[in-house]
Amino acid sequence: MFKNLINGLVQTAFDIVGDLKETVTYKQFVEAGYDTNTSTPINVTNDVPDVQALFTRFTEEEKDDQVMVLKDWKVLIPATQLPITLGDVGEDTMLDSKGKEWNVRRYLGITGGSLHIFHVRAA
């Protein structure tokens, strides 16, 4: 009951921020199998287009030895916008509306099941 309410409120907050948000395509890297004939893995990407995202800076308290201050951003995405199961995100990318590619460095979590938080760096 409360999860749906919170998910709805997070989505409403994203609707309110208007042009502060960005539309991205999330590209999830998936190992689809192994080709025994060529001895190579079969890799595909699961593209999720038109995802609402908000690029924000890391706060002083959030900065650690993995954050490059001038290149890294924190990206917030409502869980309703990205309905995929996230595993190892080390090879995932995001493509913003200007065509810029962002490498997902870390998945920082999903706050209360309603908001994905990513650490990204310009490719």
Side-chain angles (χ1 to χ4, degrees):
M1 176 167 91
F2 288 114
K3 183 175 182 170
N4 289 337
L5 174 64
I6 292 169
N7 284 346
L9 291 172
V10 168
Q11 186 59 55
T12 299
F14 265 74
D15 294 340
I16 291 171
V17 299
D19 63 353
L20 294 177
K21 67 181 176 268
E22 175 80 37
T23 300
V24 302
T25 297
Y26 189 91
K27 296 178 163 288
Q28 182 183 36
F29 177 84
V30 180
E31 289 185 23
Y34 189 78
D35 185 343
T36 55
N37 294 329
T38 61
S39 297
T40 57
I42 301 169
N43 302 318
V44 296
T45 57
N46 176 22
D47 293 359
V48 183
D50 302 321
V51 175
Q52 294 177 1
L54 187 60
F55 284 72
T56 65
R57 288 289 187 190
F58 285 93
T59 65
E60 286 300 318
E61 295 81 27
E62 294 171 323
K63 292 177 185 171
D64 60 18
D65 60 342
Q66 294 189 42
V67 175
M68 295 178 69
V69 177
L70 298 177
K71 294 184 177 186
D72 293 0
W73 290 82
K74 184 170 61 171
V75 177
L76 311 176
I77 297 177
T80 56
Q81 291 286 313
L82 194 58
I84 60 176
T85 301
L86 295 164
D88 179 15
V89 297
E91 297 189 52
D92 292 0
T93 59
M94 292 182 199
L95 189 64
D96 69 21
S97 61
K98 297 173 190 88
K100 186 172 187 170
E101 188 173 21
W102 298 87
N103 294 325
V104 177
R105 306 290 295 173
R106 293 185 286 176
Y107 178 58
L108 300 172
I110 184 166
T111 307
S114 60
L115 183 69
H116 294 292
I117 303 171
F118 297 92
H119 170 186
V120 300
R121 181 173 296 155

